[in-house]
Structure formats: C-alpha cells, structure tokens
Amino acid sequence: MLCACGGVALFNWLPQKLEDDRLVSPSKMQQINNEHLAATAAAVQNFLLLCTAAGMGTYWGSGTVFEQHLFEPLRIGNNSDAERLLAAVFVNFPVNPSPMQTFATGAQREKRSPDAGWLRRIEF
C-alpha cells in the first residue's frame, strides 16, 4: 500500500494515566480516555475530508504493521502507558487505478452489506 500512495499520515492518541494524586475513579478515567479517542477519530475524519476536498484519494487503515515495526525506530512509545496508533491514512491513494496497477481492496469489502442497506442520499 505504501508503494501505491503518495504518503501516509499516522494518527496516535495518548491515554491519560490514573495518577495517585488525583481522585478520579477508574470509570471516570475510562470516560476521559474515550473522549481522547473520539477526538482523535474526529481529527482523522477532518483530515480525510480535507484530502477529499483537495482531490486526493485516501484509505484509512488500522496501521498495525506500522505499530509493530516502526514505532521503535520512529521513537513512538509502545508500552501500555504510551501512545497508541488509531489510524494510518494513506494519502493520494488512487481512486481509479489504471489497468497497469495492482490494487488490493480491504479484507472486509466483499463481506459488507449493499450500499442501499446503510446509505441514504439527501438532496436539497
């Protein structure tokens, strides 16, 4: 996938730790971390919209390979209290690949329901 795109943007988030000097319950800490995760996901979505508006194709991947193999060389934390990867966004991904390009779709693409089951167009 790296060979098929112009670049990749990695989106990480940092869970907040439960510290001894703060009187925060574990359930409140989970709520705080859910908000951090949601904010990072919103940033990814905004980035996707920006790229689309600029005419660039994108693909949002989980980035597991990056997390497993590149976090240490890039000096991104990889322990339980460190940054966590939310998304690897492949930018300038070919929307309509040429016949000369090999193009792999997501593993779940063939398993999803037809667009009509979850997509609705609203015209103004």
Side-chain angles (χ1 to χ4, degrees):
M1 290 187 66
L2 280 172
C3 294
C5 68
V8 65
L10 301 178
F11 288 84
N12 302 331
W13 70 286
L14 184 61
Q16 189 164 331
K17 295 187 285 186
L18 183 61
E19 298 176 7
D20 295 337
D21 60 338
R22 296 180 60 194
L23 298 175
V24 178
S25 69
S27 63
K28 178 65 175 172
M29 188 55 62
Q30 181 65 41
Q31 181 184 4
I32 291 168
N33 282 328
N34 285 345
E35 290 174 4
H36 291 325
L37 183 58
T40 306
V44 175
Q45 181 65 30
N46 287 336
F47 182 74
L48 293 171
L49 292 170
L50 176 72
C51 290
T52 300
M56 293 184 279
T58 56
Y59 177 82
W60 179 341
S62 66
T64 306
V65 172
F66 290 101
E67 195 167 29
Q68 291 174 347
H69 301 290
L70 295 177
F71 267 34
E72 188 175 328
L74 295 173
R75 296 189 174 124
I76 299 171
N78 60 3
N79 61 44
S80 62
D81 295 332
E83 293 176 70
R84 295 186 185 164
L85 182 63
L86 175 67
V89 178
F90 298 89
V91 182
N92 217 11
F93 202 71
V95 177
N96 296 310
S98 73
M100 299 298 287
Q101 292 175 306
T102 302
F103 186 73
T105 60
Q108 302 301 316
R109 181 176 291 260
E110 300 303 320
K111 296 178 183 176
R112 72 180 185 195
S113 62
D115 293 352
W118 50 269
L119 182 65
R120 181 173 51 136
R121 179 174 297 276
I122 299 173
E123 295 188 29
F124 295 96

